[in-house]
Amino acid sequence: NFGELRRGDEKILLTSKEQELVRFLVMRKNSFCEIESIRENVWEGKEISYADIRMYIRKIRQKAGDEFIKSSRGLGYKIDVIS
């Protein structure tokens, strides 16, 4: 299952889990989300390592650009949403 992300005229294909992760971060309205919160909400508490979550974030960045998902040590990850 794939979804797509649009940035301007560009279409970026995402797996369903990548899409869920992007949706979760966008819904947080520019707020940093700790990796544990991502695990609890996107993976619904299922066993997944932090390294695997970071791998998903890395894959999204590879597709959408490094600046798409921001990170801050100790705070977590966020996507800046422009209204």
Side-chain angles (χ1 to χ4, degrees):
N1 289 334
F2 288 89
E4 67 181 35
L5 171 69
R6 290 186 176 268
R7 293 187 71 195
D9 293 335
E10 182 183 10
K11 292 180 187 178
I12 301 164
L13 287 180
L14 299 175
T15 66
S16 57
K17 192 53 80 174
E18 290 168 349
Q19 192 172 24
E20 284 180 57
L21 177 52
V22 167
R23 188 177 301 121
F24 175 76
L25 292 173
V26 166
M27 296 302 292
R28 298 309 171 272
K29 304 274 188 197
N30 304 320
S31 298
F32 281 101
C33 298
E34 293 180 351
I35 199 163
E36 181 62 26
S37 177
I38 293 170
R39 186 173 74 137
E40 289 173 5
N41 289 280
V42 178
W43 278 268
E44 299 172 346
K46 293 183 178 130
E47 285 297 315
I48 183 166
S49 70
Y50 291 163
D52 286 341
I53 294 171
R54 287 186 198 100
M55 178 204 59
Y56 275 93
I57 290 169
R58 188 169 48 253
K59 284 182 176 182
I60 295 167
R61 284 175 169 161
Q62 287 171 346
K63 294 175 181 184
D66 287 337
E67 74 288 346
F68 184 66
I69 297 178
K70 308 260 191 299
S71 60
S72 180
R73 190 177 193 105
L75 294 177
Y77 299 93
K78 75 172 184 171
I79 293 175
D80 288 329
V81 179
I82 300 170
S83 300

